[in-house]
Amino acid sequence: MNFEIIKEYMPLYIKAFMLTIRIGWMGIALSFVIGVISAFIMHFKIPIASKAVKVYIEIFRNTPLLVQLFFVYFGLPKIGIRISAEACGVIGLGLLGGSYMAESIRSGLGAVKVSQTEGALALGMTKGQLFRSVILPQAFTLSVPAVIANVIFLLKETSVFSAISLMDLMFTAKDLIGLYYNTTECLFMLVFFYIIMLLPVSVIGSIIEKKTGFKMFGE
Amino acid sequence: MEEILKINNLSKKFNDIVVLDNLSLSVKKGEVVVIVGPSGCGKSTFLRCINGLEDIDEGEVLLDGEKVSRNKKNLSKTRERIGMVFQSYDLFPHKNILQNITLAPIKVKKRKKADAEEEALKLLDRVGLLSKKDSYPRQLSGGQKQRVAIIRALIMHPEVLLLDEITAALDPEMVREVLDVVLSLAKEGRTMLIVTHEMAFARAVADRLIFLEGGKIVEEGSPAEFFDNPKTERLKSFLQTFSYE
Ligand SMILES: Nc1ncnc2c1ncn2[C@@H]1O[C@H](COP(=O)(O)OP(=O)(O)OP(=O)(O)O)[C@@H](O)[C@H]1O
Ligand SMILES: [Mg+2]
């Protein structure tokens, strides 16, 4: 391994890393918003909307992100909407992630025991008070592990962004290998940066799981 | 004594199966009525109909002379006045003991936090659990949780308290500590409707007992009449299942 090469490529990788992180986290934030709204719609069984949400989830969970990105990237301009490749990445990841987040959050809401609802209602709480003070905090805790798994999954999925010519980590590595054949260094740096990106999420994730899970379980 | 709770001709079906059949009952202020009966006879359903956790098909429930309306807004108002404790200790696992008790008075009754906490601490002290105020439900034994559940209902100052087999899920050595609390509530003149399988407790706590079977009141009487001199064959054979002679 040649450290001169690594040093030389470093700025390019850092740039790609920042781009990956930026799009990745914006997409995840979007997926969370979509997921929460979709989960609430399903939980409250809002007519029509909950059917629509189910269709959305099935479509996005059962097609590859690459295909979804192509639809956004090549499809939107066809109907006259022009957006940047970065925005496409965020929207694509947000829509894919939203379908996963929706399922995770909905199953968290569904996993709160019926006896909790009845206990709260018997105390005279309204449906709104019940939802805010009893269901939501417990559902949050119950959803945390799945939501964190989704975050890690989505960050890894960013590797297909190169297909819509976003200069993310994958793109940079492929590009450099194609130009100069320094395969070992390029791949090493690729792995290194993905680990830097994902390891903290795993670590912080398991800390959050411990902190929030602590008060809930072991009944 | 004046009548606080009146149930007129209440009927309830689950999928066309009649669970409660034209039941009527009147409970006076300060009275303790114990309901016993074989499993599946509709005891829980009866209590749940009274505080609106189940819809009723026919009949009416009157609380202090007012008909308990089934519309949502009034239902939560009614439930403030009718406390209920269940078999499963349904404390809120994400809140500590003090928060479990003060949540409803603060949210529902809009009481000041300090004020609600002061009363909660007094109640905790009364059932010997003051030291547990900062613990979480999972750190308590079943009997302790159930005592907290009783306080959580009491702090709402209910006019009637419904208790549904609150010791059925407890280990035998914890039953006593919970029933003692209920006995002390009866002594201070609380109005209660109690479902239980603990016959010795039923006898000690009840002003009046009701034997429910097939969704109907089969027999009704004072503890002495009920246990020592049952009139119907069905009650006799039911009581026999609890003795080992
Ligand atoms: N939600 C429900 N849907 C359908 N049937 C129900 C429902 N709840 C209760 N039942 C039925 O109604 C009958 C009365 O049930 P209930 O729980 O009131 O009995 P119970 O007297 O409390 O019995 P136990 O002593 O076992 O607690 C039972 O046959 C039960 O299967
Ligand atoms: Mg029951």
Side-chain angles (χ1 to χ4, degrees):
Chain A
M1 196 136 49
N2 187 336
F3 283 96
E4 281 306 306
I5 294 175
I6 291 183
K7 233 166 97 184
E8 193 190 323
Y9 290 172
M10 197 50 103
L12 288 172
Y13 267 93
I14 289 179
K15 210 171 148 211
F17 177 70
M18 299 314 274
L19 178 117
T20 308
I21 286 208
R22 193 171 65 240
I23 299 180
W25 282 105
M26 286 199 309
I28 285 165
L30 179 63
S31 77
F32 196 72
V33 173
I34 296 174
V36 168
I37 295 172
S38 305
F40 281 18
I41 289 174
M42 287 192 287
H43 181 74
F44 291 111
K45 302 192 174 69
I46 297 173
I48 305 168
S50 63
K51 282 253 158 41
V53 165
K54 278 187 193 131
V55 171
Y56 152 69
I57 290 175
E58 288 310 321
I59 291 175
F60 279 82
R61 277 172 68 116
N62 293 307
T63 47
L65 177 58
L66 191 55
V67 174
Q68 296 165 17
L69 282 180
F70 279 171
F71 260 86
V72 178
Y73 189 66
F74 298 112
L76 287 185
K78 286 226 158 52
I79 55 167
I81 301 169
R82 299 216 156 266
I83 49 170
S84 66
E86 283 202 17
C88 278
V90 172
I91 292 171
L93 197 65
L95 286 171
L96 170 76
S99 66
Y100 278 82
M101 294 291 189
E103 270 300 324
S104 304
I105 296 165
R106 187 205 56 79
S107 70
L109 287 168
V112 178
K113 292 197 206 117
V114 186
S115 66
Q116 290 288 309
T117 298
E118 297 194 333
L121 289 179
L123 290 165
M125 285 193 206
T126 61
K127 287 254 165 73
Q129 290 165 339
L130 159 73
F131 189 70
R132 281 192 306 275
S133 307
V134 177
I135 308 269
L136 211 49
Q138 292 185 49
F140 172 78
T141 304
L142 293 165
S143 315
V144 162
V147 167
I148 290 170
N150 290 345
V151 168
I152 292 171
F153 158 75
L154 290 171
L155 284 175
K156 286 195 280 199
E157 282 293 297
T158 57
S159 58
V160 305
F161 283 166
S162 55
I164 54 168
S165 35
L166 276 170
M167 301 221 276
D168 74 330
L169 284 170
M170 201 66 181
F171 185 96
T172 304
K174 270 199 285 197
D175 207 31
L176 287 171
I177 291 171
L179 285 173
Y180 308 111
Y181 304 107
N182 293 314
T183 318
T184 314
E185 287 78 8
C186 284
L187 287 183
F188 170 76
M189 292 176 80
L190 184 62
V191 170
F192 174 77
F193 274 103
Y194 268 112
I195 288 178
I196 293 224
M197 182 163 78
L198 288 162
L199 199 60
V201 179
S202 293
V203 172
I204 294 169
S206 57
I207 293 174
I208 295 177
E209 270 177 51
K210 278 216 191 71
K211 284 249 179 237
T212 55
F214 174 67
K215 290 162 192 157
M216 289 288 300
F217 301 105
E219 279 237 36
Chain B
M1 256 191 295
E2 75 183 283
E3 182 180 80
I4 178 87
L5 184 68
K6 190 151 171 53
I7 293 119
N8 291 327
N9 308 94
L10 188 149
S11 292
K12 168 80 188 165
K13 287 185 207 148
F14 282 118
N15 322 314
D16 289 337
I17 297 168
V18 178
V19 176
L20 299 176
D21 188 5
N22 204 17
L23 266 185
S24 295
L25 176 72
S26 157
V27 181
K28 294 198 212 75
K29 207 169 239 174
E31 196 178 19
V32 177
V33 177
V34 172
I35 303 168
V36 301
S39 182
C41 72
K43 305 179 296 290
S44 300
T45 307
F46 184 49
L47 295 191
R48 292 162 60 83
C49 283
I50 293 174
N51 81 344
L53 283 176
E54 299 287 356
D55 289 328
I56 59 180
D57 296 324
E58 273 163 60
E60 57 179 9
V61 177
L62 301 172
L63 180 61
D64 215 359
E66 280 170 61
K67 185 168 171 179
V68 171
S69 153
R70 297 284 133 183
N71 88 42
K72 281 182 189 123
K73 181 99 185 87
N74 294 336
L75 209 46
S76 57
K77 282 277 164 241
T78 305
R79 291 190 184 122
E80 282 180 47
R81 301 170 59 191
I82 304 178
M84 180 155 181
V85 182
F86 305 80
Q87 171 179 337
S88 58
Y89 357 93
D90 48 346
L91 298 181
F92 306 128
H94 59 299
K95 304 222 172 266
N96 71 25
I97 297 308
L98 191 59
Q99 291 164 340
N100 257 280
I101 301 168
T102 57
L103 181 67
I106 293 171
K107 297 272 173 200
V108 176
K109 287 236 193 294
K110 313 286 179 213
R111 283 174 66 179
K112 291 236 165 54
K113 187 163 172 252
D115 171 48
E117 283 184 349
E118 192 187 313
E119 185 176 356
L121 294 175
K122 269 194 207 129
L123 287 166
L124 274 173
D125 193 27
R126 172 176 170 178
V127 299
L129 291 175
L130 193 54
S131 62
K132 300 287 183 193
K133 67 179 168 58
D134 297 318
S135 304
Y136 280 84
R138 62 178 184 88
Q139 296 165 312
L140 266 58
S141 73
Q144 293 171 332
K145 277 191 268 204
Q146 209 52 306
R147 280 182 277 163
V148 172
I150 294 172
I151 304 182
R152 193 176 64 168
L154 281 182
I155 200 169
M156 298 301 282
H157 307 146
E159 291 156 56
V160 180
L161 201 54
L162 312 174
L163 307 179
D164 188 6
E165 295 197 44
I166 57 169
T167 59
L170 297 180
D171 291 336
E173 73 270 20
M174 289 170 188
V175 170
R176 187 63 197 241
E177 64 192 40
V178 174
L179 295 185
D180 280 342
V181 173
V182 181
L183 277 167
S184 77
L185 294 176
K187 281 212 188 80
E188 65 180 44
R190 299 238 172 215
T191 313
M192 292 190 279
L193 215 54
I194 302 175
V195 171
T196 184
H197 283 301
E198 302 281 340
M199 290 303 147
F201 164 70
R203 185 175 193 139
V205 80
D207 294 314
R208 183 154 52 108
L209 285 121
I210 285 171
F211 176 55
L212 201 66
E213 197 179 52
K216 284 182 195 288
I217 296 178
V218 173
E219 186 164 345
E220 180 173 350
S222 70
E225 291 165 352
F226 197 86
F227 287 105
D228 303 333
N229 210 355
K231 291 183 205 63
T232 58
E233 283 308 315
R234 278 145 89 187
L235 176 56
K236 274 182 209 163
S237 65
F238 174 75
L239 290 174
Q240 234 143 48
T241 60
F242 290 91
S243 69
Y244 294 91
E245 290 144 35

